[in-house]
């Protein structure tokens, strides 16, 4: 049972700004001193970038609700798009003037009876001018589309990330982390290529085909009509097949890479368990299968390309052979000039070139489109828990929690909480105890509104949680998960995550209060000691104490605390118990107690079983009533190492 990360003690953490070493707020690990001067120099020469325009709220703004399409992404920059379009037109037209100039040079400058060297020279000069125009237009087009791509990518990354922040816990439980990562990295990268180069090339080639078709018809209508009848139907059929096959192929490729990354990330995260259970061999086999599926998807797209590319080339050559015979016959009968036939063939060659390039670009387009579809699915995923449009700010609370006929199922058909009734008075601590899978953590998740009830209500100070803003709710709630999450950064940063504006003194006060003072003092740089991602460099007891200090710093009115099940040594356990005492004082708290020794400290104990609360009362009352808790307690007394001290608690 893990509650996702980074939520210990409030939710208000803002990321630290660059150039502000080790400022409160995460994730940011500070700049190593030897690099600081280089960073300062770089920052001094950096242009000012406006803060990105990020829309973030829990119910989604109008802008956010629009469907993600390539067109919508691009039209946000209409001027750049128009400029790129104009340059594409210039390139497509200017590059096609050559054969026409050649035709004029042959017919009016070199043919018998029409020998005019001046015409040849003028045509050659014009050819040169158009080549220079084409080259210049290409240079600016690459620059403009490069910029356009950079902005669109930037928007997309921010939009996708902001959306991930909105999504509910359920999404992250269902979706593999690796798949989400691949959407955010490989899918977005994939679009980069399409935006930077692919789309403009696609437009240039398509436009070139149109320009050439027009020129072919103006050069000779009969030959052009024969070309269209001979080649175009076969080309259309082949292209329709290619479109369908490559769409399917690239969809499989996107899923394939997402699965490879998901498998990789799972193996990396679970490396300890994998090693401990000798599952390396099994993992390699599994990964080989996943990679194999990815390879098959790539092979399929390669096959589709291999059929379509050379196939269209063959069509072109066949068409040319037939046209050579027909055109030659027309020249012999003086119904067509040699210059026109040469120009026709030059254009015909150019007519097939864009088709080949279109195929390549269409691949890029397909890949990009597959990525857009995947990203659209991600961005269209609505959070399960949303904020009501008329949600009010939760005023400062006393801390009364009420479960009113509360029922909940992760899958609505299977309730894991059934008709629970409970009232926790302000300042009281209630411990949930019960067998594993009984629904204790689920009840806690309903208090923090990670999920909404299937039926009934959760009320804090009389306010239904669904009617208040998430921000105002969570800023007054503290959560200490069973496995506290620490970000890569200093211990101070990790503590200040719950309260970004906390002063060093406040942080140190919280550290002392939970009994972490001597541990921090012993660390090489005190609060500035850097911990690695997920706090791997600390012991589990230290991580728990940091999570408690984090919650203490936020000073929430209501605290939801999932007791760690890991076995701690007696000294750490005593420390944590003392820290808990400090933390729970004057606060409403829900404590998921895995140890009865912790449960006993609570004002009330609620026994949860099969999604229902079957007993509530103080430790003494429950023991005296001889019910389920009394049974659990008796078993615990018999088995506990502390059995000899146990009678002291009896009748507390
Ligand atoms: P433990 O003491 O072992 O932590 P618990 O009493 O906290 O157990 P819960 O985690 O609340 O139990 O789980 C209650 C039931 O809900 C269990 O049957 C569990 O399998 C199921 N469950 C928990 N999380 C999910 C989820 N994300 N999706 C579907 N079912 C879930």
């Amino acid at each position: 049972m893990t509650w996702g990360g980074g939520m210990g003690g409030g939710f208000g953490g803002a990321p630290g700004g660059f150039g502000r070493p080790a400022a409160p707020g995460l994730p940011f690990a500070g700049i190593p001193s030897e690099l600081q001067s280089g960073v300062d120099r770089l920052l001094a020469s950096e242009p000012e970038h406006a803060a990105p325009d990020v829309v973030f709220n829990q119910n989604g703004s109008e802008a956010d609700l629009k469907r993600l399409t390539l067109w919508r992404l691009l039209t946000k920059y209409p001027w750049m798009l128009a400029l790129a379009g104009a340059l594409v037109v210039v390139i497509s037209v200017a590059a096609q003037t050559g054969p026409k100039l050649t035709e004029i040079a042959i017919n009016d400058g070199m043919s018998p009876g029409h020998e005019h060297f001046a015409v040849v020279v003028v045509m050659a000069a014009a050819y040169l001018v158009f080549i220079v125009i084409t080259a210049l237009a290409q240079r600016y087009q690459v620059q403009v589309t490069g910029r356009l791509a950079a902005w669109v990518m930037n928007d997309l990354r921010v939009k996708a990330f902001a959306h991930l922040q909105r999504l509910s816990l359920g999404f992250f439980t269902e979706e593999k982390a690796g798949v989400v990562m691949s959407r955010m990295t490989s899918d977005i990268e994939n679009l980069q290529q399409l935006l930077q180069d692919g789309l403009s090339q696609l437009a240039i080639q398509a436009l070139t085909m149109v320009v050439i078709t027009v020129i072919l018809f103006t050069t000779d209508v009969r030959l052009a009509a024969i070309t269209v009848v001979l080649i175009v139907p076969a080309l259309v059929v082949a292209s329709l097949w290619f479109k369908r096959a490559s769409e399917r192929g690239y969809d499989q490729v996107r899923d394939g890479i997402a699965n490879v990354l998901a498998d990789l990330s799972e193996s990396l995260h679970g490396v300890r368990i994998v090693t401990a259970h000798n599952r390396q061999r099994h993992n390699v086999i599994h990964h080989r299968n996943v990679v194999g599926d990815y390879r098959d998807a790539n092979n399929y797209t390669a096959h589709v390309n291999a059929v379509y590319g050379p196939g269209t080339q063959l069509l072109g050559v066949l068409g040319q052979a037939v046209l050579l015979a027909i055109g030659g016959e027309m020249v012999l009968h003086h119904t067509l000039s040699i210059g026109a036939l040469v120009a026709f063939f030059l254009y015909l060659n150019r007519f097939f070139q864009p088709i080949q390039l279109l195929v390549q670009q269409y691949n890029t387009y397909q890949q990009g489109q597959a990525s857009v579809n995947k990203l659209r699915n991600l961005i269209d995923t609505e959070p399960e828990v949303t904020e009501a449009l008329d949600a009010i700010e939760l005023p400062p609370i006393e801390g009364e929690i009420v479960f009113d006929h509360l029922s909940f199922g992760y899958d609505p058909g299977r309730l894991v909480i059934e008709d629970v009734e409970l009232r926790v008075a302000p300042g009281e601590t209630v411990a949930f105890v019960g067998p594993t899978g009984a629904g204790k953590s689920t009840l806690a998740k309903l208090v923090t509104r990670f999920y909404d009830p299937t039926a009934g209500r959760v009320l804090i100070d009389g306010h239904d949680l669904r009617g208040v803003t998430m921000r105002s709710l969570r800023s007054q709630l503290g959560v200490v998960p069973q496995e506290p999450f620490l970000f890569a950064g200093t211990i101070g940063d990790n503590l200040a995550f719950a309260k970004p504006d906390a002063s060093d003194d406040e942080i140190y006060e919280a550290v002392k209060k939970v009994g972490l003072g001597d541990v921090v003092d012993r660390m090489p740089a005190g609060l500035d000691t850097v911990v690695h991602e997920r706090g791997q460099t600390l012991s589990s007891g230290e991580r728990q104490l940091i999570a408690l200090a984090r919650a203490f710093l936020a000073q929430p009115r209501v605290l939801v605390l999932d007791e760690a099940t890991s076995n701690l040594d007696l000294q750490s356990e005593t420390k944590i118990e003392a820290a808990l005492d400090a933390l729970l004082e004057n606060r409403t708290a829900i404590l998921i107690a895995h140890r009865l020794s912790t449960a006993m400290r609570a004002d009330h104990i609620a026994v949860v079983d099969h999604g229902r609360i079957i007993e509530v009362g103080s430790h003494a009352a429950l023991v005296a009533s001889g019910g389920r808790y009394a049974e659990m307690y008796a078993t615990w007394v018999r088995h506990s190492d502390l059995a000899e001290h146990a009678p002291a608690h009896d009748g507390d």
Side-chain angles (χ1 to χ4, degrees):
M1 172 178 63
T2 311
W3 287 18
M7 289 169 179
F11 288 74
F18 290 100
R20 192 159 57 92
L26 279 167
F28 186 56
I31 299 161
S33 52
E34 66 274 18
L35 295 181
Q36 185 66 54
S37 61
V39 171
D40 288 344
R41 258 201 316 278
L42 192 68
L43 284 177
S45 63
E46 268 285 290
E48 281 291 322
H49 292 293
D53 172 23
V54 184
V55 183
F56 181 81
N57 63 31
Q58 295 288 355
N59 45 29
S61 68
E62 281 296 306
D64 269 0
L65 294 177
K66 281 187 190 155
R67 271 176 86 70
L68 175 78
T69 57
L70 263 181
W71 182 243
R72 193 157 278 143
L73 287 170
L74 288 167
T75 45
K76 208 178 149 203
Y77 300 97
W79 288 112
M80 265 203 249
L81 191 63
L83 185 56
L87 289 166
V88 161
V89 172
V90 171
I91 294 166
S92 311
V93 175
Q96 299 315 322
T97 49
K100 200 75 199 165
L101 298 173
T102 312
E103 179 191 344
I104 298 171
I106 293 176
N107 284 348
D108 300 342
M110 301 179 218
S111 304
H114 292 281
E115 287 100 348
H116 298 296
F117 185 59
V119 173
V120 178
V121 172
V122 170
M123 290 304 122
Y127 203 157
L128 192 71
V129 169
F130 279 112
I131 286 176
V132 171
I133 291 174
T134 310
L136 282 176
Q138 274 169 338
R139 177 211 177 287
Y140 286 110
Q141 176 257 315
V142 169
Q143 189 174 342
V144 171
T145 49
R147 275 204 191 153
L148 183 62
W151 279 107
V152 169
M153 299 301 295
N154 181 70
D155 290 350
L156 193 59
R157 282 183 215 278
V158 173
K159 189 180 171 78
F161 186 82
H163 186 71
L164 281 183
Q165 302 286 306
R166 281 179 64 214
L167 286 177
S168 314
L169 196 66
F171 171 81
F172 298 98
T173 316
E174 303 271 309
E175 196 65 273
K176 288 182 180 172
V179 171
V180 179
M181 278 303 280
S182 94
R183 298 283 165 266
M184 298 297 289
T185 53
S186 129
D187 279 325
I188 290 185
E189 285 304 320
N190 218 2
L191 268 182
Q192 173 120 17
Q193 208 192 344
L194 176 65
L195 292 173
Q196 213 160 13
D197 197 35
L199 278 184
S200 52
Q201 282 305 320
L202 207 63
I204 291 174
Q205 303 314 333
L207 206 59
T208 303
M209 278 182 68
V210 172
V211 170
I212 293 178
T213 309
V214 170
I215 297 176
L216 285 181
F217 272 95
T218 55
T219 307
D220 191 89
V221 177
R222 289 155 306 168
L223 272 188
I226 292 168
T227 312
V228 168
V229 172
L230 270 183
I231 301 169
V232 172
L235 206 61
V236 168
V237 171
S239 301
L240 285 178
W241 167 79
F242 174 75
K243 179 177 178 313
R244 191 136 20 99
S246 69
E247 256 169 24
R248 206 178 60 214
Y250 283 114
D251 211 44
Q252 284 167 1
V253 168
R254 300 315 320 149
D255 280 341
I257 184 67
N259 288 339
V260 168
L261 289 178
D263 193 54
L264 182 67
S265 101
E266 205 167 68
S267 306
L268 291 179
H269 283 131
V271 66
R272 285 184 185 75
I273 302 292
V274 170
T275 316
H277 289 83
N278 279 328
R279 293 277 287 190
Q280 295 96 329
R281 205 178 123 73
H282 174 274
N283 267 14
V284 172
I285 293 172
H286 186 257
H287 198 69
R288 207 171 55 192
N289 289 339
V290 175
V291 171
D293 286 344
Y294 180 45
R295 178 205 55 211
D296 290 347
N298 276 318
N299 278 349
Y300 175 71
T301 55
H303 163 76
V304 171
N305 292 339
V307 172
Y308 183 70
T312 49
Q313 218 160 17
L314 182 68
L315 272 179
V317 176
L318 285 176
Q320 275 177 323
V322 175
L323 285 172
L324 179 63
I326 298 172
E329 201 252 0
M330 288 162 79
V331 169
L332 288 177
H333 287 90
H334 304 290
T335 52
L336 186 72
S337 68
I338 294 184
L341 184 65
V342 171
F344 201 91
F345 263 86
L346 286 174
Y347 276 122
L348 209 58
N349 255 330
R350 291 182 174 214
F351 185 69
F352 286 102
Q353 216 175 24
I355 294 179
Q356 300 299 318
L357 289 171
L358 265 180
V359 175
Q360 287 167 17
Q361 297 309 329
Y362 194 70
N363 278 342
T364 317
Y365 177 73
Q366 282 300 346
Q367 294 195 39
Q369 197 59 49
S371 293
V372 171
N373 291 343
K374 301 280 172 208
L375 280 164
R376 184 187 302 142
N377 288 344
L378 175 75
I379 288 179
D380 282 354
T381 311
E382 276 303 312
E384 288 158 24
V385 179
T386 50
E387 198 163 86
L389 288 173
D390 55 355
I392 57 157
E393 291 286 312
L394 182 65
I397 53 172
E398 290 285 316
E400 183 205 45
I401 303 173
V402 173
F403 293 159
D404 176 21
H405 293 288
L406 185 64
S407 296
F408 173 74
Y410 292 97
D411 165 6
R414 195 178 80 88
L415 291 183
V416 295
I417 298 297
E418 279 188 74
D419 201 25
V420 165
E421 288 273 334
L422 183 73
R423 175 177 179 273
V424 187
E428 258 183 10
T429 302
V430 169
F432 288 158
V433 298
T436 181
K440 305 180 293 288
S441 305
T442 307
L443 281 172
K445 286 179 203 166
L446 290 168
V447 174
T448 48
R449 216 184 157 212
F450 286 162
Y451 294 91
D452 275 337
T454 312
R457 300 181 300 167
V458 180
L459 305 163
I460 288 193
D461 278 16
H463 295 278
D464 187 333
L465 296 193
R466 282 171 295 201
V468 299
T469 62
M470 304 229 194
R471 204 177 165 77
S472 66
L473 168 70
R474 289 180 180 155
S475 62
Q476 300 189 60
L477 273 185
V479 180
V480 180
Q482 196 178 63
E483 285 169 25
F485 188 94
L486 300 188
F487 294 91
T490 67
I491 291 185
D493 288 348
N494 267 293
L495 291 167
F497 191 72
K499 191 178 176 197
D501 54 356
S503 67
D504 279 359
D505 288 344
E506 275 178 272
I507 296 176
Y508 198 70
E509 178 66 27
V511 163
K512 273 202 306 207
K513 203 78 187 176
V514 301
L516 199 65
D518 50 338
V519 178
V520 168
D521 289 343
R522 262 187 281 120
M523 291 195 170
L527 285 175
D528 291 335
T529 308
V530 172
V531 291
H532 289 197
E533 202 178 52
R534 276 176 286 138
Q536 300 287 348
T537 40
L538 297 173
S539 77
S540 63
E542 285 163 353
R543 280 202 295 274
Q544 282 164 26
L545 285 174
I546 288 181
L548 295 179
R550 199 189 248 175
F552 191 87
L553 187 64
Q555 294 285 333
R557 281 301 309 144
V558 172
L559 193 72
V560 177
L561 202 142
D562 199 350
E563 189 193 22
T565 43
S566 54
N567 283 324
L568 296 175
D569 60 87
L570 208 56
Q571 201 189 358
S572 305
E573 208 169 301
T574 319
K575 256 189 180 171
I576 285 178
E577 279 176 4
L580 273 182
D581 283 342
L583 191 59
L584 298 183
E585 206 179 304
N586 295 327
R587 246 177 267 286
T588 312
I590 288 186
L591 191 75
I592 300 166
H594 298 280
R595 280 177 274 253
L596 288 194
S597 56
T598 318
M600 280 183 245
R601 311 166 85 89
D603 300 313
H604 293 287
I605 296 167
V607 182
V608 186
D609 192 19
H610 286 98
R612 295 175 183 276
I613 292 185
I614 52 171
E615 285 173 19
V616 189
S618 68
H619 170 75
L622 288 182
V623 171
S625 72
R628 174 70 72 84
Y629 180 78
E631 254 173 57
M632 287 165 67
Y633 181 63
T635 316
W636 179 73
V637 169
R638 266 199 309 278
H639 289 99
S640 170
D641 293 338
L642 302 172
E644 60 210 79
H645 304 302
H649 291 291
D650 251 353
D652 262 1

